[in-house]
């Protein structure tokens, strides 16, 4: 077994930093983990890091986050969730293959977010009095949020205006694990809620503000009909399904996963044969921070040789089967699904 302790010693010898006084163990370990988790999976394609991403959809939730960096989210056991380098087709939902899109224009040309804008009330209520009612038609989509909890695109817009130039507007911020969202003013003040499934809303303008009686209150929403998804979009590190899932469905993607940090002296990479390549990358990072042309010249042949060695297992595995095309899908009665290529979803 190749362990972090041995890799640390190898990097020291590669960079002539033999003692902790020249570079501490913590610094060496930091370069090794940067090399292993960030640079290593980007520099060559490896089947060992290609894994399925399987998760369950939530009824009436169309957008899901793609964890692209280790540590951005935490699992229930308290450990950071491993990050992912890439996501790719095929995509399956309950065993059915989905059309996969990465181009937002193509996807939303097929599934346009057609907003319904209609009158829901009139102004004129006294200060600190709540406006309540129902927004038809329902259910309707909720705002899309990125992995950091920021709204990237509001889905419910409530506005009030009149001929004098008065304007007032609210947008939605979904509440995690709920079918309701907060209604917030432009400065972020929460003034009410909206239910995405029933259309029920309530809000009270902040700071004792009064919506004049001459103002008409509108609501713009995008209604949908829930069903089993047939199409999926990967955009802005978000996974968007259409139609919106009606039930709990199991979905499977193919991903290239980011390796996890080596923390203890006894930790080792997923394949022992990678260790010298990882050490060479770590040494390159050290020479980048502390320029040494002679040291880099010595290191590069080692790096190139280890890169080829690391690739060999994957290339040998891939070479055992001919490259797949739309005309060579085993066990499929149709060469191209949905009247287009089986993955691209760019036609049909």
């Amino acid at each position: 077994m190749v362990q972090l302790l041995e890799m640390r010693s190898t990097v020291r010898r590669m960079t002539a930093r033999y003692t902790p006084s020249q570079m501490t163990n913590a610094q060496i370990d930091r370069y090794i983990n940067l090399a292993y988790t960030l640079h290593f999976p980007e520099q060559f394609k490896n089947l060992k890091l290609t894994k399925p991403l399987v998760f369950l959809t939530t009824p009436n939730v169309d957008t899901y986050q793609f964890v692209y960096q280790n540590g951005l989210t935490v699992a229930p056991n308290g450990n950071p969730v491993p990050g992912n380098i890439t996501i790719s087709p095929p995509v399956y939902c309950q065993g059915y293959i989905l059309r996969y899109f990465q181009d937002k224009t193509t996807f939303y040309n097929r599934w346009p977010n057609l907003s319904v804008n209609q009158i829901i009330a009139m102004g004129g209520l006294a200060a600190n009095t709540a406006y309540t009612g129902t927004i038809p038609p329902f259910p309707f989509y909720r705002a899309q949020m990125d992995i950091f909890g920021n709204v990237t695109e509001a889905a419910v817009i409530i506005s009030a205006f009149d001929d004098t130039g008065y304007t007032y507007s609210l947008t939605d911020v979904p509440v995690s694990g709920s079918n309701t969202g907060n209604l917030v003013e432009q400065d972020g003040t929460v003034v009410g809620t909206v239910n995405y499934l029933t259309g029920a809303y309530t809000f009270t303008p902040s700071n004792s503000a009064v919506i004049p009686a001459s103002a008409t209150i509108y609501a713009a929403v995008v209604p949908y009909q829930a069903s089993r998804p047939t199409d999926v979009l990967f955009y802005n590190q978000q996974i968007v399904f259409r139609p919106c899932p009606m039930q709990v469905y199991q979905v499977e993607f193919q991903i290239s996963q980011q390796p996890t940090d080596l923390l203890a002296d006894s930790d080792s990479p997923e394949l022992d044969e990678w260790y010298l390549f990882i050490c060479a990358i770590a040494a390159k990072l050290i020479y980048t921070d502390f320029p040494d042309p002679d040291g880099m010249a010595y290191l590069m042949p080692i790096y190139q040789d280890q890169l080829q060695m690391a690739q060999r297992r994957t290339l040998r595995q891939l070479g055992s089967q001919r490259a797949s095309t739309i005309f060579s899908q085993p066990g499929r009665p149709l060469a191209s699904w949905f009247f287009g290529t089986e993955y691209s979803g760019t036609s049909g």
Side-chain angles (χ1 to χ4, degrees):
M1 291 286 294
V2 177
Q3 300 177 342
L4 176 60
L5 182 65
E6 182 178 351
M7 296 173 67
R8 186 188 303 141
S9 299
T10 300
V11 174
R12 287 193 178 280
R13 290 191 292 269
M14 281 182 170
T15 59
R17 285 162 172 78
Y18 301 107
T19 65
S21 61
Q22 295 172 293
M23 182 168 285
T24 66
N25 287 344
Q27 289 175 306
I28 293 286
D29 292 353
R30 176 64 174 166
Y31 281 111
I32 290 174
N33 281 310
L34 285 174
Y36 184 43
T37 61
L38 299 182
H39 295 265
F40 171 74
E42 292 285 2
Q43 296 189 22
F44 78 107
K45 178 178 173 61
N46 185 268
L47 291 178
K48 186 71 170 80
L49 297 177
T50 300
K51 302 178 181 181
L53 171 65
V54 181
F55 64 91
L56 299 177
T57 63
T58 302
N60 296 292
V61 176
D62 68 318
T63 304
Y64 300 81
Q65 310 307 328
F66 181 68
V67 181
Y68 62 92
Q69 185 173 321
N70 183 16
L72 289 182
T73 59
V74 178
N77 61 8
N79 296 327
V81 175
N84 306 296
I85 306 302
T86 60
I87 186 170
S88 58
V91 186
Y92 295 96
C93 177
Q94 298 292 108
Y96 294 89
I97 194 166
L98 273 60
R99 280 178 292 241
Y100 176 83
F101 298 79
Q102 292 184 162
D103 178 64
K104 184 177 181 179
T105 301
T106 306
F107 181 78
Y108 285 113
N109 279 346
R110 190 180 189 96
W111 297 94
N113 282 337
L114 301 179
S115 177
V116 176
N117 196 10
Q118 55 194 317
I119 298 173
I120 59 172
M122 296 295 295
L125 295 184
N128 302 316
T129 302
Y131 287 86
T132 61
T134 301
I135 304 174
F138 50 83
F140 41 78
Y141 286 120
R142 59 195 72 195
Q144 293 185 355
M145 302 177 69
D146 63 21
I147 197 169
F148 303 106
N150 303 313
V151 173
T152 58
E153 184 177 348
V156 178
I157 301 174
I158 295 178
S159 60
F161 59 90
D162 62 16
D163 294 338
T164 67
Y166 170 84
T167 59
Y168 178 75
S169 62
L170 302 172
T171 55
D172 68 310
V173 178
V175 177
S176 178
S178 171
N179 287 319
T180 63
N182 290 324
L183 293 174
V184 301
E185 296 177 332
Q186 296 306 294
D187 62 359
T189 302
V190 178
V191 296
T193 60
V194 61
N195 189 300
Y196 298 106
L197 299 188
T198 66
Y201 73 89
T202 178
F203 69 90
T204 304
S206 64
N207 301 320
S208 300
V210 174
I211 299 176
S214 58
T216 305
I217 302 175
Y218 293 85
V221 297
V222 180
Y224 66 86
Q225 178 68 49
S227 183
R228 176 178 56 80
T230 59
D231 292 17
V232 60
L233 168 70
F234 177 61
Y235 178 80
N236 192 33
Q237 304 301 327
Q238 295 175 324
I239 299 169
V240 182
F241 292 104
R242 290 292 186 271
C244 185
M246 179 176 61
Q247 301 174 0
V248 175
Y249 300 107
Q250 179 171 281
V251 178
E252 179 181 339
F253 286 82
Q254 180 174 285
I255 61 170
S256 177
Q257 192 170 68
Q258 183 183 36
T260 54
D261 292 346
L262 306 177
L263 301 177
D265 286 353
S266 59
D267 287 350
S268 59
E270 292 196 44
L271 286 180
D272 287 348
E273 64 197 51
W274 292 344
Y275 93 96
L276 197 54
F277 183 41
I278 298 168
C279 291
I281 300 174
K284 281 185 62 181
L285 295 176
I286 292 174
Y287 284 137
T288 299
D289 285 348
F290 305 94
D292 183 348
D294 293 336
M296 187 68 84
Y298 157 77
L299 178 66
M300 287 310 296
I302 300 175
Y303 167 82
Q304 293 294 342
D305 180 65
Q306 291 305 311
L307 173 60
Q308 294 178 9
M309 290 288 292
Q311 290 175 326
R312 190 159 298 168
R313 179 192 291 262
T314 293
L315 294 176
R316 189 177 300 161
Q317 183 69 44
L318 293 175
S320 65
Q321 185 177 5
R322 72 178 245 183
S324 178
T325 71
I326 63 173
F327 305 106
S328 60
Q329 298 298 316
R332 295 287 184 175
L334 299 176
S336 57
W337 296 286
F338 305 110
F339 306 100
T341 63
E342 72 263 47
Y343 300 148
S344 69
T346 56
S347 61

